[in-house]
Amino acid sequence: MDVTPNPPRGWRRFVLPCSLLLNLFLIAVIGGRLLYGRVERLDGASMLSRLTTRAEAVLPAGEAQAFKAVIERDAPRFAKTRHQLGAARAELVRQVVADPYDKKATGQALLAWKAAWDSFAADFSDTLVDALGQVSPEGRRKLIAGRFGKPAKE
C-alpha cells in the first residue's frame, strides 16, 4: 500500500513565493535608490550643493558662512567647467539608458564626462583649499569625518 502524505494546504504554500517576491521588490527599491544616488554624484552642481549643505550642518554658523562665501565668490571662475560637467553627465546618462545600447558611444560619453570632471576639479581645487582655510581645525575634522575614514589626530 502506497501512502504518500499530502502537502499541507493553506497559508504555508504561499509563504515562500510571497517571501521571494517581497525580497525581489526590496532589492529593486534599494538598488534603484543606490543607483540614483550615484547618478546625482556625477554632476558638479549637486556636489557643490552637498558640500555647502554639509558645511552648514556640521560647522558653526560663522564658519559655514565663511566657507560658503568663498565658494560663491569663486563660482563665476569655475561656472563654465561646472556647466560642461553637467552637460557631459547628461550625455552619459542619455547613452547609458539609450535603446538600443551603443557601447562605443557610451564609452566616449564616459571619457568626455571624465575629462569634464578633471577640468572642473582643476578649476575648483583652489577654491576648496581657500574655503577650507576659513574653517577651524576642529571644523575641518567635522567636515571630513565619515567621508574618508577617521582623520589623523594632530
Side-chain angles (χ1 to χ4, degrees), residues 92-115:
L92 176 59
V93 169
R94 192 177 76 71
Q95 290 300 328
V96 167
V97 299
D99 188 21
Y101 179 74
D102 185 342
K103 184 177 176 180
K104 184 177 179 183
T106 302
Q108 290 171 342
L110 183 59
L111 289 175
W113 172 82
K114 182 185 177 302

Side-chain angles (χ1 to χ4, degrees), residues 8-125:
R9 298 207 184 261
W11 68 272
R12 290 183 185 177
R13 71 180 190 172
F14 293 106
V15 171
L16 181 61
C18 289
S19 175
L20 290 174
L21 288 174
L22 181 60
N23 283 324
L24 289 173
F25 173 75
L26 291 174
I27 287 170
V29 168
I30 292 168
R33 180 64 186 131
L34 290 174
L35 287 176
Y36 175 76
R38 298 281 191 259
V39 169
E40 287 297 308
R41 292 181 187 126
L42 298 175
D43 187 0
S46 63
M47 186 271 306
L48 289 177
S49 175
R50 282 190 325 278
L51 182 62
T52 55
T53 299
R54 176 149 175 83
E56 290 170 342
V58 301
L59 296 176
E63 288 186 17
Q65 186 56 39
F67 182 87
K68 190 174 179 179
V70 171
I71 292 174
E72 289 173 352
R73 176 197 73 199
D74 291 354
R77 187 169 52 86
F78 56 81
K80 180 180 176 186
T81 54
R82 191 175 99 181
H83 176 73
Q84 290 169 341
L85 179 59
R89 173 196 172 264
E91 178 60 19
L92 176 59
V93 169
R94 192 177 76 71
Q95 290 300 328
V96 167
V97 299
D99 188 21
Y101 179 74
D102 185 342
K103 184 177 176 180
K104 184 177 179 183
T106 302
Q108 290 171 342
L110 183 59
L111 289 175
W113 172 82
K114 182 185 177 302
W117 175 258
D118 289 344
S119 294
F120 171 73
D123 284 351
F124 182 67
S125 62

